Amino acid sequence: MPVVPSQYWSIAHGTEPGEVTQDEEGMQTMRQLALNMAFMIKAIRLGLQQFGSPKIQESLVETHYIR
């Protein structure tokens, strides 16, 4: 599962509407997160174009956790 990182905790703080934009560190973190997300989306798209989707190698085995 791809997980997109940022530069720190991916959170910005505010208690009133619009107040979050005053959290400069939080906003910078969100901008970096957005850049990293865009990069990962582009990288996945390029990988799919070059290599295609992974193929299912085995048929599904359903055990329902009962033995």
Side-chain angles (χ1 to χ4, degrees):
M1 174 179 72
V3 177
V4 180
S6 186
Q7 62 190 22
Y8 195 60
W9 294 99
S10 297
I11 192 167
H13 298 278
T15 56
E16 299 293 324
E19 190 176 26
V20 72
T21 59
Q22 297 172 14
D23 179 0
E24 292 181 28
E25 181 183 12
M27 296 304 292
Q28 182 182 49
T29 300
M30 293 301 119
R31 287 190 298 274
Q32 187 62 50
L33 178 63
L35 289 171
N36 292 349
M37 281 185 182
F39 175 83
M40 185 174 286
I41 290 168
K42 291 174 186 176
I44 290 171
R45 184 182 314 135
L46 287 172
L48 286 171
Q49 289 173 356
Q50 185 172 358
F51 302 110
S53 296
K55 306 298 182 238
I56 296 175
Q57 299 294 318
E58 301 179 32
S59 59
L60 179 62
V61 176
E62 296 184 39
T63 62
H64 303 291
Y65 304 105
I66 298 173
R67 299 185 187 246

